[in-house]
Amino acid sequence: MSRLERITASTRAGWHSFLRRRTAVFFTFFFPAILVVIFGVLVGTQPTDGGLFSEPAGWYVAGYIGVVVLFTPLSRVGSEVARHREGSQFEKLATTPLRRWEWLLAQTLVNTVVIGLATLLLVGLLFAGTSLSVPLSAELLLVVPFIVVGVALFCAIGAILGSLVDSRDGVVAASNGLALPLLFLSETFVPAEMLPEWLPLELSPLTYFSRGVRTVTHEQVPAGGAIFDWWPPTSPVLNLAVLSVLALVTFVVAAVLLPQTD
């Protein structure tokens, strides 16, 4: 069996495994829906009143997408690794030609499809239930690689947590403990102006996702600038490049840490 066939078979198995868990399917798509209903419809935005949610509705699109890209891969892949460890599945995988990085790549591909569908649902609900208006431009296509790279990055981080934490409950707790601070300290729902100046936002990988996606969905490239400019820090290409490097390095680390036996 060739490498491509191994990855394809593992991806197919991962996809069917996801579909068999109806509770997981429900909450994967229910989560974006309830997110939009609570923050987009019930809370809404108040551009003139100051405080939280004081920016225009379009400013928060990057945050909404970032929530799905952050939480779902962390919890799903982390739990999947922990489940494989508890069931000694990695020992069985070690007797097959499938390598650990191929298994992780297959899990990443499954999550990319799942989160892509969840993102489409989320954006559709935003258009239907809020006053969201996104200017149509070729720059919007960059949202796709941002989502793909972001999913790969947080899948890898989830795999690292699953490899290091000794139980599925521990993985869920560790995932939430990591995701919640990142969510509010990465320019997702809280502008940098409202955070302390000494706070190193650049240490959070979600910051690069938020800045890049926000530029192409709301702020747009400044007048006189070009989509492939490497500066200023809001440049979509600069942020995508940084995110890609982080994803590659983290993926390699995660593949090395995946256990062969337990």
Side-chain angles (χ1 to χ4, degrees):
M1 181 180 287
S2 68
R3 177 169 297 165
L4 179 60
E5 290 173 334
R6 293 197 300 269
I7 296 174
T8 301
S10 184
T11 302
R12 187 181 300 113
W15 174 253
H16 289 299
S17 175
F18 168 70
L19 292 180
R20 283 194 297 269
R21 298 171 190 164
R22 296 182 180 179
T23 302
V25 173
F26 174 78
F27 281 102
T28 296
F29 295 102
F30 176 76
F31 183 58
I34 197 65
L35 187 73
V36 171
V37 170
I38 292 176
F39 294 104
V41 178
L42 298 181
V43 177
T45 59
Q46 303 173 14
T48 59
D49 292 346
L52 291 175
F53 294 95
S54 60
E55 302 290 338
W59 195 90
Y60 296 99
V61 171
Y64 288 124
I65 299 175
V67 170
V68 182
V69 170
L70 171 65
F71 276 87
T72 305
L74 276 179
S75 59
R76 288 200 71 250
V77 177
S79 297
E80 190 71 10
V81 172
R83 186 176 69 86
H84 272 59
R85 290 178 60 191
E86 290 175 1
S88 301
Q89 294 298 313
F90 285 113
E91 292 184 2
K92 298 176 183 177
L93 284 177
T95 64
T96 71
L98 187 69
R99 297 184 178 181
R100 288 177 294 173
W101 73 266
E102 294 172 347
W103 180 88
L104 181 57
L105 177 58
Q107 294 297 317
T108 302
L109 293 174
V110 172
N111 278 274
T112 300
V113 174
V114 170
I115 295 167
L117 294 174
T119 301
L120 289 176
L121 172 63
L122 184 150
V123 173
L125 290 173
L126 283 173
F127 276 111
T130 70
S131 58
L132 176 65
S133 176
V134 176
L136 296 178
S137 67
E139 298 169 7
L140 282 175
L141 295 176
L142 283 177
V143 173
V144 175
F146 266 109
I147 292 175
V148 172
V149 175
V151 169
L153 171 61
F154 291 110
C155 279
I157 295 175
I160 292 173
L161 292 178
S163 300
L164 298 179
V165 181
D166 58 3
S167 69
R168 273 188 280 183
D169 290 339
V171 169
V172 172
S175 298
N176 291 332
L178 176 63
L180 285 174
L182 289 182
L183 180 61
F184 293 102
L185 301 178
S186 304
E187 298 185 25
T188 48
F189 293 103
V190 182
E193 295 77 15
M194 297 181 63
L195 297 171
E197 294 184 1
W198 53 263
L199 198 64
L201 301 179
E202 289 75 14
L203 294 182
S204 168
L206 190 61
T207 297
Y208 303 100
F209 179 90
S210 301
R211 288 176 177 174
V213 173
R214 181 167 294 119
T215 299
V216 299
T217 59
H218 176 65
E219 296 173 355
Q220 303 295 300
V221 176
I227 194 172
F228 294 107
D229 283 349
W230 286 89
W231 198 257
T234 55
S235 164
V237 171
L238 172 62
N239 285 284
L240 183 58
V242 173
L243 202 65
S244 298
V245 172
L246 292 174
L248 179 60
V249 172
T250 309
F251 185 91
V252 171
V253 173
V256 171
L257 289 178
L258 281 178
Q260 290 183 329
T261 58
D262 266 314

